[in-house]
Amino acid sequence: MTVHELSRADARRIAVRAQLLDGARRPSGLLDVVRQLTLLQVDPTAAVAPNADLVAWSRLGSSGYASAELSAALADRTLLELRAMIRPGEDLALYRAEMAEWPERGTPTSWREYHRAWVAANEACRRDILVRLGAAGPLPSRELPDSCALPWRSSGWSNNRNVTKLLELMVQRGEVAVAGRTGGDRLWDLAERVYPDTPAVPVHEALRLRDERRLRALGIARARGPECQVEPADVGNAGEPAVVEGVRGKWRVDPAWLGQPFVGRAALLSPFDRLIHDRRRTTELFGFDYQLEMYKPAAKRRWGYFALPILYGDRLVGKLDATADRKAGVLRVDAVHEDERFTQAMSAEIGREIEDLARWLDLELVLPD
C-alpha cells in the first residue's frame, strides 16, 4: 500500500477539514456535526459556555445553533450521553457488545481488576440501586442508597463517592444510563429505558468501525498510542499509512480527505475541542503551545482561566481570554494573545467571530481598552 507523504500544512488542513472547521461550508445542523465528530465531550465548565455547546457553535455559528437544540436532541434520544460523551443514538450499537464483556477496555489491567473486585464486593448495593431505579427512576445519585460494603478509595475527588463511582461502572456494564440532567446533576435510570433497542455489533467489528469513524473525524492520527479511558486518540489500522514531513513516526490518514482544495476561516475553539485535544498531535502538526490554566493560580496563568484557542486557516494563531458574565449581561474580553502577529485581515475576521460569540450568548461585547 502506498504511504502518503504529507507536509505539515497538508496534515493540518486534513485535520481542520475533518473537524468541520474549514470555510468551504457550514454543516447543516447539530446532528450532522455530532455524526461527523462522533462525540461532544460533556464538561460543565461555563466560563464562556459549556464545552458541548461551544463546540457546536464553533461549527454552526450563532445563526445555525441554539443550545436548546442539544437539550431537545438528548431528550428525544437522537443523541445519548455515554461516559461523559454525547454520541449519536445509533452509535450505541457499537458499544453494546463491549458492555456485555466488562471490565472495560482502554484502562490499565490493574485498574480493570480492581474495578471487577470492587463491584463484586458491593453486589448488594448494585442490586439496591437497580431496584430503586426500577421503581422510581430517573433519579439523581443523592437519592440512591449507599449500602456499599467496601468504600471506593482514591487520592482524587472521587474518594468515598461510592454511589457515583458504582453508577459509572454500571454504565460500562450496560445496566444504567444517564437519562438527563437537572441543574448540572445527572439523572440515572435503567439502561433499558434510555437506550434504543438496537442489536449489538460484535466487539471486534465494533472496534474496527469505531477506529474508522474516529479517523474520519480526526482526518489524521497515530496508529498506536497510550491507553486512554473512554475515547482513544489512536486509530489502529484504519485508513492508509502516511508520513508527515519533519515529524517522526507513522501516521494513518483517511484517504477521503486527501487532495481536496482548502478554504480556511477563523474559529474560536473550546479548550476541549477535538482538534487540539491530543496535545502531542497539536504540538507536532500545529506547533501550538497551549494548556488549560483554570487549575493554576491566577498569578501563574499566561493566557487566562479558560482561554479559547484561535484558529485561522490551517494555523492556531493565538488565544482569546474572555469570560461570559451573565449577571452583568456581558461577554468580557480581557485579552487577545497573538502567537503570531495578526494582519489587518486576520484581526477583522477574528473580531467578527468574537462578535458572533457574543451574539450567540446574547451578551453585550466588552472589549479591552
Side-chain angles (χ1 to χ4, degrees):
M1 182 181 292
T2 301
V3 177
H4 300 283
E5 297 181 358
L6 306 174
S7 67
R8 288 194 192 190
D10 293 332
R12 291 196 301 268
R13 291 175 179 185
I14 288 169
V16 170
R17 280 196 298 264
Q19 280 286 299
L20 303 177
L21 287 165
D22 64 321
R25 67 174 181 86
R26 295 274 189 167
S28 61
L30 176 63
L31 188 56
D32 280 353
V33 169
V34 184
R35 281 175 171 158
Q36 170 56 30
L37 303 188
T38 74
L39 60 85
L40 298 176
Q41 181 176 335
V42 178
D43 188 277
T45 306
V48 176
N51 175 70
D53 287 315
L54 195 52
V55 169
W57 164 79
S58 67
R59 275 69 177 177
L60 296 165
S62 64
S63 63
Y65 177 68
S67 57
E69 296 176 46
L70 179 56
S71 299
L74 289 166
D76 68 17
R77 311 292 192 234
T78 305
L79 300 176
L80 294 171
E81 182 178 335
L82 177 62
R83 300 187 67 189
M85 301 290 180
I86 295 169
R87 300 184 185 273
E90 64 265 23
D91 280 10
L92 183 71
L94 301 178
Y95 295 87
R96 281 193 179 278
E98 196 171 16
M99 291 172 176
E101 65 167 33
W102 185 87
E104 72 281 14
R105 294 170 182 264
T107 303
T109 302
S110 60
W111 272 104
R112 287 198 293 269
E113 292 307 312
Y114 178 67
H115 289 169
R116 186 202 303 272
W118 188 78
V119 171
N122 292 304
E123 175 68 9
C125 185
R126 186 182 71 84
R127 292 186 180 276
D128 288 346
I129 288 172
L130 292 173
V131 169
R132 175 74 169 143
L133 289 178
L139 294 170
S141 60
R142 63 179 174 274
E143 295 185 25
L144 295 170
D146 183 355
S147 54
C148 284
L150 180 65
W152 177 261
R153 293 298 178 222
S154 167
S155 59
W157 69 273
S158 63
N159 188 59
N160 214 34
R161 295 171 64 94
N162 303 327
V163 171
T164 296
K165 191 61 190 181
L166 187 52
L167 285 164
E168 290 172 350
L169 294 174
M170 291 169 72
V171 167
Q172 296 174 18
R173 291 162 61 99
E175 296 175 318
V176 302
V178 176
R181 287 180 178 253
T182 179
D185 291 335
R186 291 172 289 186
L187 296 176
W188 302 90
D189 205 348
L190 299 179
E192 63 197 47
R193 296 203 291 231
V194 176
Y195 293 154
D197 186 19
T198 52
V201 175
V203 169
H204 291 294
E205 176 70 3
L207 292 173
R208 181 185 65 79
L209 291 171
R210 280 155 52 182
D211 282 346
E212 290 177 356
R213 294 207 58 219
R214 190 178 311 111
L215 181 59
R216 188 182 72 187
L218 296 173
I220 182 167
R222 296 283 186 182
R224 297 287 182 269
E227 287 187 323
C228 295
Q229 293 192 50
V230 186
E231 183 68 15
D234 55 25
V235 295
N237 294 320
E240 296 178 359
V243 293
V244 179
E245 182 182 8
V247 181
R248 296 178 62 182
K250 299 178 180 179
W251 297 81
R252 304 294 292 187
V253 64
D254 186 331
W257 299 112
L258 294 170
Q260 296 186 18
F262 181 78
V263 179
R265 68 175 178 93
L268 307 176
L269 307 182
S270 164
F272 303 104
D273 197 288
R274 301 309 284 187
L275 183 70
I276 61 163
H277 195 269
D278 181 344
R279 300 293 195 239
R280 179 188 175 195
R281 191 184 79 145
T282 301
T283 300
E284 290 175 331
L285 300 186
F286 292 88
F288 188 60
D289 182 17
Y290 182 78
Q291 289 182 334
L292 178 59
E293 298 182 312
M294 57 191 281
Y295 301 111
K296 287 185 176 183
K300 294 187 177 181
R301 294 175 190 149
R302 292 178 288 172
W303 308 303
Y305 177 84
F306 197 74
L308 308 185
I310 301 171
L311 176 72
Y312 187 79
D314 66 357
R315 306 188 318 278
L316 291 162
V317 297
K319 295 97 175 171
L320 172 69
D321 180 11
T323 304
D325 186 342
R326 290 166 179 81
K327 287 186 178 180
V330 301
L331 174 66
R332 184 174 294 105
V333 174
D334 293 313
V336 178
H337 301 282
E338 299 181 13
D339 285 27
E340 59 181 78
R341 184 176 295 278
F342 290 3
T343 65
Q344 186 174 356
M346 291 169 67
S347 294
E349 191 170 351
I350 292 166
R352 286 192 290 271
E353 281 298 297
I354 296 172
E355 291 170 359
D356 193 69
L357 176 60
R359 188 179 306 116
W360 172 63
L361 293 170
D362 195 23
L363 298 173
E364 180 184 352
L365 180 61
V366 177
L367 297 172
D369 297 332

